[in-house]
């Protein structure tokens, strides 16, 4: 069977875990990243350091690979589009263009008759005066946010005066959902109506950063079925190839909402490495490289804990039991709020 060389844009922990999964399948990887210390270079066959608009570096990268994928959604659309004219980029760049813009993303979801929280576009401060019914809410930059970055909680119109916001960036105001729970669904689409879907994962965030994930999620059957159906509809409508994550909110009345779509492997799916026969990373590589689709089998229940900032120091010195799996992302510098590693524990 032809084994393509896989190019991965982005060299963080997701790029690392994709490269590890690829090497298990005997697929060679080349990582292209704008961080000279990118941890994924420890796991890939080759590493190219360059800016995402450096035409010479992009050409060097594209010449070396057969298929290109990416580990994060904030790569300029123009870059992906240009590359796609020379070698296939999967998931296709048009998917990324929708999802990297919070307004386009929410409009897309609502057009499928799938529920999101209420939202409105905000481009200048005066527009805030007419949106009181969306408060309390969250003002989020329409592009480039992650792990809660670029988000301002807004309690009331009066509170606006005490917050410094550069409205020229372009914002979306979302009504705050009274959360009972958050879940996510990871799904890998191989081709028309061909999927592998993982069971819903329950997630706990702290300071808008994912702290813990676990399976099974404690949810009712209706939410279980609805979340799987919506995830399938979204990936089919996008004609998505590869692994995709849908983040959901459940409110106190057990209403389900789609929060956002991540067009890539996702932090909440790290437990799939140990809890399933095929991980989200391996499934992504299988789908984009057109390898065999293997039916998913759960091996165990599991929980995953993110290790953030200097917590990593303790974890590096611990001893682990045989049901515990510690991953060190090998990031050079410890920073506050930076994801440094994770621990997955298999449960009965
Ligand atoms: P990011 O791109 O940073 O992951 P999210 O929109 O997923 O941004 O927000 C991060 C977290 O903040 C969510 O997982 C949730 O805990 C909280 N959050 C975001 N938007 C809302 C909302 N409209 N209502 C309630 N909680 C929210
Ligand atoms: Mg999110």
């Amino acid at each position: 069977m032809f084994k393509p060389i896989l190019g991965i844009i982005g060299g963080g922990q997701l790029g690392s875990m994709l490269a590890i999964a690829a090497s298990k399948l005997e697929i060679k990887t080349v990582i292209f990243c704008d961080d000279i210390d990118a941890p994924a270079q420890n796991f890939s066959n080759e590493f190219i350091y360059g800016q995402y608009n450096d035409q010479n570096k992009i050409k060097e990268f594209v010449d070396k690979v057969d298929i290109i994928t990416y580990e994060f959604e904030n790569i300029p659309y123009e870059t992906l589009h240009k590359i796609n004219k020379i070698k296939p980029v999967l998931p296709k760049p048009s998917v990324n263009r929708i999802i990297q813009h919070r307004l386009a993303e929410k409009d897309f979801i609502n057009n499928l008759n799938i529920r999101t929280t209420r939202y409105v576009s905000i481009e200048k401060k005066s527009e805030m005066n007419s949106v009181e019914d969306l408060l309390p809410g969250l003002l989020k930059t329409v592009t480039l946010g992650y792990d809660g970055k670029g988000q301002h909680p807004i309690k009331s119109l009066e509170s606006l005066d005490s917050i410094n916001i550069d409205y020229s960036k372009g914002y979306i105001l979302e009504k705050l959902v009274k959360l009972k729970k958050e879940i996510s669904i990871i799904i890998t689409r191989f081709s028309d109506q061909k999927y592998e879907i993982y069971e819903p994962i329950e997630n706990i965030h702290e300071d808008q950063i994912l702290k813990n994930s676990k399976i099974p999620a404690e949810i009712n059957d209706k939410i279980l079925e609805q979340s799987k159906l919506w995830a399938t509809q979204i990936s089919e409508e996008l004609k998505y190839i590869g692994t995709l994550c849908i983040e959901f909110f459940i409110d106190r009345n057990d209403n389900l909402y789609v929060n956002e779509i991540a067009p890539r492997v996702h932090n909440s799916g790290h437990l799939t490495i140990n809890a399933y026969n095929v991980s989200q990373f391996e499934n992504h590589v299988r789908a984009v490289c057109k390898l065999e689709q293997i039916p998913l089998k759960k091996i165990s229940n599991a929980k995953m804990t993110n290790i953030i900032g200097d917590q990593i120091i303790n974890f590096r010195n611990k001893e682990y039991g045989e049901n515990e799996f510690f991953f060190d992302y090998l990031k050079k510098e410890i920073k506050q709020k930076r994801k440094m590693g994770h621990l997955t524990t298999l449960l009965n």
Side-chain angles (χ1 to χ4, degrees):
M1 193 191 236
F2 171 67
K3 294 267 173 99
I5 298 175
L6 179 62
I8 303 171
I9 306 177
Q13 62 268 26
L14 300 176
S16 298
M17 288 184 261
L18 282 170
I20 294 167
S23 82
K24 193 180 141 197
L25 298 166
E26 293 175 353
I27 298 265
K28 290 205 164 82
T29 50
V30 181
I31 302 268
F32 177 46
C33 186
D34 66 355
D35 172 6
I36 198 159
D37 294 325
Q41 63 192 287
N42 294 301
F43 306 99
S44 64
N45 297 85
E46 264 193 71
F47 174 65
I48 297 173
Y49 163 64
Q51 300 306 309
Y52 296 133
N53 55 7
D54 180 335
Q55 300 307 322
N56 292 329
K57 287 290 173 184
I58 292 172
K59 184 171 182 321
E60 182 188 338
F61 170 63
V62 174
D63 282 348
K64 286 192 170 177
V65 301
D66 299 305
I67 294 173
I68 290 115
T69 191
Y70 42 93
E71 65 144 21
F72 72 114
E73 56 267 48
N74 290 329
I75 305 154
Y77 169 74
E78 282 311 317
T79 303
L80 291 183
H81 181 64
K82 262 195 205 145
I83 297 177
N84 194 38
K85 287 188 179 154
I86 313 167
K87 302 261 171 83
V89 174
L90 291 169
K92 58 188 166 130
S94 55
V95 165
N96 211 46
R97 180 152 68 168
I98 299 174
I99 294 173
Q100 67 182 201
H101 194 281
R102 290 189 193 273
L103 275 168
E105 178 188 26
K106 284 224 165 41
D107 288 346
F108 165 78
I109 299 165
N110 279 279
N111 285 337
L112 296 176
N113 281 323
I114 293 175
R115 190 186 303 116
T116 66
T117 185
R118 289 173 53 212
Y119 62 99
V120 66
S121 158
I122 298 286
E123 288 173 345
K124 41 184 189 293
K125 189 171 182 193
S126 59
E127 288 172 344
M128 290 297 288
N129 294 326
S130 53
V131 295
E132 205 162 3
D133 62 325
L134 291 186
L135 301 182
L138 271 172
L139 200 58
K140 304 180 181 177
T141 50
V142 281
T143 56
L144 298 176
Y146 68 98
D147 287 346
K149 292 189 174 65
Q151 299 193 12
H152 304 277
I154 312 286
K155 284 206 179 85
S156 63
L157 286 185
E158 296 75 64
S159 68
L160 273 180
D161 295 332
S162 57
I163 322 172
N164 199 3
I165 296 170
D166 172 10
Y167 286 89
S168 68
K169 283 184 181 167
Y171 283 86
I172 179 173
L173 176 69
E174 292 183 17
K175 191 166 175 74
L176 203 66
V177 175
K178 291 193 175 125
L179 291 179
K180 174 170 162 189
K181 246 176 227 257
E182 293 186 69
I183 59 169
S184 55
I185 294 252
I186 308 238
I187 180 167
T188 308
R189 183 175 180 275
F190 284 76
S191 60
D192 288 355
Q193 306 293 343
K194 288 222 173 346
Y195 305 97
E196 293 302 326
I197 185 162
Y198 297 86
E199 71 176 66
I201 301 162
E202 184 168 333
N203 301 315
I204 294 174
H205 291 81
E206 253 174 46
D207 297 330
Q208 281 134 310
I209 302 180
L210 182 67
K211 183 62 198 155
N212 291 296
S213 296
K214 68 161 187 173
I215 48 171
E218 286 169 49
I219 51 176
N220 65 39
D221 286 351
K222 193 173 152 222
I223 288 178
L224 183 111
E225 290 312 320
Q226 180 93 81
S227 58
K228 282 184 160 182
L229 179 69
W230 283 354
T232 313
Q233 283 174 343
I234 287 170
S235 52
E236 189 66 30
E237 185 68 22
L238 290 169
K239 300 216 173 306
Y240 194 90
I241 301 293
T243 295
L244 174 81
C245 175
I246 316 285
E247 298 177 17
F248 298 88
F249 296 145
I250 301 169
D251 74 11
R252 291 180 195 163
N253 298 318
D254 274 340
N255 293 308
L256 186 66
Y257 306 75
V258 169
N259 167 29
E260 62 172 353
I261 305 171
R264 52 173 172 79
V265 289
H266 191 261
N267 191 172
S268 63
H270 292 357
L271 51 74
T272 64
I273 296 176
N274 310 102
Y276 277 87
N277 61 334
V278 181
S279 73
Q280 61 163 349
F281 302 100
E282 182 176 335
N283 259 333
H284 185 74
V285 175
R286 284 181 179 278
V288 301
C289 296
K290 309 222 168 340
L291 307 182
E292 190 191 354
Q293 180 181 348
I294 294 173
L296 271 185
K297 266 210 309 266
K298 181 159 116 174
I299 296 165
S300 171
N301 290 329
K303 75 165 192 219
M304 186 267 339
T305 303
N306 270 336
I307 302 165
I308 294 167
D310 58 13
Q311 292 171 347
I312 191 73
I313 298 166
N314 270 334
F315 280 88
R316 282 181 177 148
N317 297 320
K318 268 191 195 167
E319 296 214 358
Y320 293 97
E322 58 178 28
N323 62 338
E324 291 179 312
F325 301 87
F326 167 57
F327 291 76
D328 188 336
Y329 300 155
L330 307 178
K331 292 186 182 173
K332 280 234 166 107
E333 208 186 325
I334 298 178
K335 280 194 197 159
Q336 216 196 348
K337 294 197 171 182
R338 178 179 257 191
K339 292 171 181 168
M340 299 298 297
H342 73 263
L343 176 71
T344 299
T345 308
L346 297 184
L347 310 165
N348 292 322

